[in-house]
Amino acid sequence: MNASFSFGSYYPAESFVHALDPRTKLVAGAMLVTAVLTAQDFAGLAVAAAFVAAAYLAARVPAAAAARSIVPLLPIVALAAAFNLLFTQGGPVVFQWLFITVSEAGATQAAFIGCRLFIMMAGMSLVALTTAANDLACGFEHLLSPLTRIGLPVHELSMMLGIAMRFMPQFADELANTYRAQICRGAKPGVRMAASLIVPLFSSVLRRAETLAFAMDARCYHGAGATRLHPLRFAGRDAAAGALCAGLIACVAGIGMV
């Protein structure tokens, strides 16, 4: 497995966060996103960032593992910040070159959006780091189970989520191996090399998906009536975590109203 890519990978440890019910962690992640989106200034984001940092400390996740999980997401943060930097205008001009103009309002907005996205991604990454893929899929299925009454295939959606999370590191490893193979054959990094990487990667993805489908079909897997060795149960720590997240939303909203 590619050691440089760990987003979606489970980091085993004994901690308060690991022991939480996966449904609690999914709801807590949604509450964190709500709190961050509610923040109207950097003070609110600072409170949310402190909450996420405390959660990482409580989860006993090493800084190296946390960084490997978050770094692959940073291009998304950089792209969103760049769009706001270039297309938001207002106030004094900070930098200008040819048709590129950066204003004070654009720089502030870019920093705010970048911090907002980073905090949300760090929080959701912690959910993935502290929850096994099977437990995360099961929690997702339990939360959406009422929607089965209107015909939504909740079990199939949760199974797709679990498979995708387990296969992401393998796809990254496959991409790294293909890249090294192309370099050994004399390929030079660039647009043409990117095209030569996409075809083998998609071929590998389709081959793995077909193998998995055949394996599930051979085992007569239909999903209906599946049971768990360890059923999900709420505990007192789940109520405490929910109260902390509710307090975070109230605190961030209160700061925005001041």
Side-chain angles (χ1 to χ4, degrees):
M1 189 155 303
N2 191 2
S4 64
F5 184 93
S6 66
F7 179 75
S9 298
Y10 174 65
Y11 183 85
E14 296 291 335
S15 71
F16 171 80
V17 181
H18 283 78
L20 292 174
D21 189 281
R23 294 169 292 182
T24 301
K25 284 183 270 192
L26 286 171
V27 173
M31 296 175 73
L32 172 66
V33 171
T34 302
V36 174
L37 292 177
T38 305
Q40 301 297 322
D41 50 26
F42 286 100
L45 291 183
V47 173
F51 180 86
V52 173
Y56 269 94
L57 291 176
R60 300 179 181 176
V61 176
R68 286 196 301 268
S69 180
I70 298 173
V71 166
L73 305 176
L74 292 183
I76 301 175
V77 177
L79 184 62
F83 271 105
N84 283 273
L85 183 67
L86 297 177
F87 295 107
T88 302
Q89 301 298 329
V93 175
V94 178
F95 174 80
Q96 187 170 12
W97 180 70
L98 298 177
F99 59 90
I100 299 176
T101 302
V102 177
S103 65
E104 183 177 348
T108 303
Q109 183 71 5
F112 183 78
I113 294 298
C115 292
R116 171 181 278 178
L117 285 176
F118 180 80
I119 294 170
M120 288 192 294
M121 291 179 176
M124 298 312 297
S125 177
L126 179 62
V127 173
L129 282 169
T130 58
T131 314
N134 284 336
D135 293 336
L136 199 61
C138 186
F140 181 80
E141 181 178 358
H142 277 71
L143 288 176
L144 296 184
S145 57
L147 298 180
T148 55
R149 298 177 181 178
I150 60 175
L152 188 69
V154 174
H155 177 76
E156 288 74 9
L157 291 175
S158 63
M159 182 179 61
M160 290 168 58
L161 173 66
I163 292 174
M165 292 195 65
R166 281 192 291 268
F167 273 75
M168 275 194 299
Q170 297 186 22
F171 293 156
D173 186 60
E174 186 75 23
L175 178 61
N177 291 336
T178 306
Y179 176 82
R180 287 191 290 265
Q182 296 288 354
I183 292 295
C184 291
R185 293 180 176 89
K188 296 181 180 180
V191 177
R192 296 182 61 182
M193 184 177 179
S196 66
L197 291 176
I198 292 175
V199 174
L201 181 62
F202 271 90
S203 176
S204 174
V205 169
L206 295 175
R207 185 171 61 252
R208 289 176 183 269
E210 185 180 27
T211 301
L212 180 61
F214 285 149
M216 295 174 67
D217 185 61
R219 290 166 176 79
C220 300
Y221 179 82
H222 299 290
T227 59
R228 285 180 55 85
L229 178 62
H230 302 290
L232 299 181
R233 292 188 178 92
F234 288 112
R237 54 179 173 265
D238 298 297
L244 288 174
C245 292
L248 171 66
I249 294 178
C251 184
V252 173
I255 291 175
M257 295 172 60
V258 174

